[in-house]
Amino acid sequence: MIVKKEKLQAFLNERGLSQKKFAAKLGVDVTEVEKMLSGEPVGYDTAKKFIYFMRADRAQHYIDWSAIGEENPLLADDYDDSTGKNNTEDNVA
């Protein structure tokens, strides 16, 4: 996962969180937060903890989808966030 470093830095600034405090909240080493803030990719464990902490609905806006070569799955045409379910043929009643 790669995050939008400027957006994450603004989030930390708004909440008065240092890199060390944010790392503690995520339960990761401060070097992982340093990676995020420098635009470097982080591994699965850090990404999972970041998304859990931020919640997916907010985290999706911090993830740099183009940098990882993926589309945001929460913006897919077949996703209806009002119900929290995909509207694929398998899920339509």
Side-chain angles (χ1 to χ4, degrees), residues 16-73:
L17 291 170
S18 67
Q19 292 178 16
K20 186 176 179 179
K21 286 181 182 177
F22 187 59
K25 287 186 174 290
L26 293 182
V28 300
D29 192 83
V30 73
T31 58
E32 291 296 289
V33 175
E34 290 169 354
K35 284 181 186 179
M36 286 191 263
L37 292 171
S38 66
E40 295 178 50
V42 295
Y44 176 81
D45 187 57
T46 299
K48 183 172 82 170
K49 290 177 179 181
F50 177 81
I51 293 168
Y52 180 80
F53 173 80
M54 297 290 278
R55 303 290 185 224
D57 61 328
R58 188 176 350 152
Q60 69 175 317
H61 301 291
Y62 288 84
I63 297 171
D64 192 341
W65 296 101
S66 61
I68 59 174
E70 297 290 336
E71 288 187 33
N72 180 345

Side-chain angles (χ1 to χ4, degrees), residues 78 86-93:
D78 66 347
N86 282 337
N87 289 325
T88 60
E89 289 180 12
D90 294 337
N91 292 328
V92 176

